[in-house]
């Protein structure tokens, strides 16, 4: 039982390049989330998916798109990376009833 | 805008002492409250959840909730150097179970 997994762990992009961050959970959770964490800013919600087939914007969605591929997988896409998107990205999941969220190990993204 | 406020620290306590971490929140209607621990370079790890007024104890950790005053605290008894980390307070912010996080308090436990 791996919990929440994320790939890649590290990535360096040039401005304007695109990439997709992958997240998968094996806990049969309904809801999944993407956060970014920046020094002094705390964790901020980018997008979330309350259930398979639905996605909604969070606090900082600009420059990102998401896909809830199935119940297990929730991906985050940067279409044209910008230096302001340099951050640590965390995926999290939550079962339908309790509010507790469980986090993946994170992806450290640098955009030059 | 719903907010969660924490003292950024660092909070420094000697080994064996009680560490007290505090958090205030702006939404009076919030019902669910969480404490996460985050070691440097790692992901947040859930250590406590609390839903009702009063205290909830789990080993060396005690979460305290006071909805009237809109604050939640975390006490760590017999603090150990391994408790040195950043502690994040989180509050449920919406009907979809979204969490709003404070910026975290950095705790340092000195041997």
């Amino acid at each position: 039982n791996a919990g929440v997994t994320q790939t890649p762990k590290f990535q360096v992009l040039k401005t304007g390049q695109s990439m997709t961050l992958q997240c998968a959970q094996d806990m049969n959770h309904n809801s999944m989330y993407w956060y970014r964490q920046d020094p002094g800013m705390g964790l901020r919600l980018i997008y979330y998916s309350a259930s398979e087939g639905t996605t909604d914007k969070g606090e900082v969605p600009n420059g990102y798109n998401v896909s809830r591929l199935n119940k297990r997988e929730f991906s985050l896409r940067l279409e044209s990376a910008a230096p302001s998107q340099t951050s640590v990205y965390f995926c999290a999941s939550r079962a339908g009833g309790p509010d507790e969220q469980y986090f993946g190990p994170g992806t450290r993204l640098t955009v030059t | 805008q719903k907010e969660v406020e924490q003292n950024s620290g660092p909070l420094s306590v000697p080994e064996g002492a009680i560490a007290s971490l505090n958090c205030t929140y702006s939404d009076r209607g919030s019902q669910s409250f969480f404490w996460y621990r985050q070691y440097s370079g790692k992901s947040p790890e859930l250590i406590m959840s609390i839903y009702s007024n009063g205290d909830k104890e789990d080993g060396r950790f005690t979460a305290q909730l006071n909805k009237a005053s809109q604050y939640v605290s975390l006490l760590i008894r017999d603090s150990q150097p391994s408790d040195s980390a950043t502690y994040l307070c989180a509050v449920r912010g919406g009907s979809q179970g979204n969490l709003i996080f404070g910026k975290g308090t950095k705790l340092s436990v000195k041997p």
Side-chain angles (χ1 to χ4, degrees):
Chain A
N1 194 343
V4 181
T5 57
Q6 292 183 236
T7 56
K9 286 187 169 52
F10 301 93
Q11 184 71 49
V12 179
L13 291 178
K14 291 188 182 343
T15 297
Q17 287 185 319
S18 63
M19 78 161 296
T20 300
L21 282 64
Q22 306 286 355
C23 174
Q25 52 91 12
D26 62 2
M27 297 178 283
N28 201 35
H29 284 175
N30 290 323
S31 302
M32 298 184 73
Y33 306 82
W34 276 105
Y35 293 90
R36 60 179 288 174
Q37 187 174 39
D38 303 292
M41 297 297 294
L43 280 160
R44 293 182 293 171
L45 182 65
I46 305 171
Y47 269 94
Y48 65 98
S49 171
S51 61
E52 186 178 354
T54 68
T55 61
D56 284 289
K57 295 177 181 179
E59 180 186 356
V60 288
N62 290 347
Y64 305 96
N65 285 301
V66 291
S67 296
R68 183 74 183 267
L69 304 170
N70 47 56
K71 192 171 186 178
R72 290 187 63 248
E73 298 172 288
F74 188 37
S75 63
L76 178 73
R77 183 160 178 85
L78 287 70
E79 291 290 352
S80 179
S84 61
Q85 294 179 304
T86 293
S87 188
V88 181
Y89 292 85
F90 290 105
C91 177
S93 71
R94 179 179 74 93
D99 289 334
E100 290 91 350
Q101 292 186 17
Y102 298 91
F103 285 79
T107 295
R108 299 186 188 308
L109 175 67
T110 301
V111 183
T112 61
Chain B
Q1 179 80 356
K2 297 172 184 174
E3 294 182 339
V4 176
E5 300 285 343
Q6 295 181 255
N7 188 323
S8 63
L11 173 66
S12 183
V13 300
E15 183 175 356
I18 296 175
S20 178
L21 304 159
N22 299 311
C23 169
T24 59
Y25 58 94
S26 64
D27 183 6
R28 185 170 288 277
S30 296
Q31 298 292 322
S32 309
F33 308 86
F34 309 90
W35 284 100
Y36 286 81
R37 177 177 62 199
Q38 187 175 26
Y39 292 113
S40 181
K42 301 295 186 182
S43 60
E45 173 194 8
L46 179 67
I47 55 172
M48 291 286 286
S49 59
I50 186 166
Y51 299 91
S52 305
N53 271 335
D55 295 359
K56 179 181 178 183
E57 189 173 314
D58 183 0
R60 295 185 297 111
F61 297 97
T62 299
Q64 299 175 316
L65 175 61
N66 184 322
K67 290 185 179 179
S69 299
Q70 294 177 241
Y71 83 78
V72 57
S73 61
L74 179 71
L75 301 178
I76 307 174
R77 290 182 301 281
D78 188 24
S79 295
Q80 301 297 308
S82 59
D83 295 324
S84 297
T86 296
Y87 289 80
L88 306 174
C89 175
V91 176
R92 177 171 172 162
S95 61
Q96 302 292 348
N98 298 346
L99 298 182
I100 300 170
F101 285 83
K103 295 179 181 178
T105 298
K106 187 170 184 178
L107 172 66
S108 178
V109 181
K110 303 295 186 184

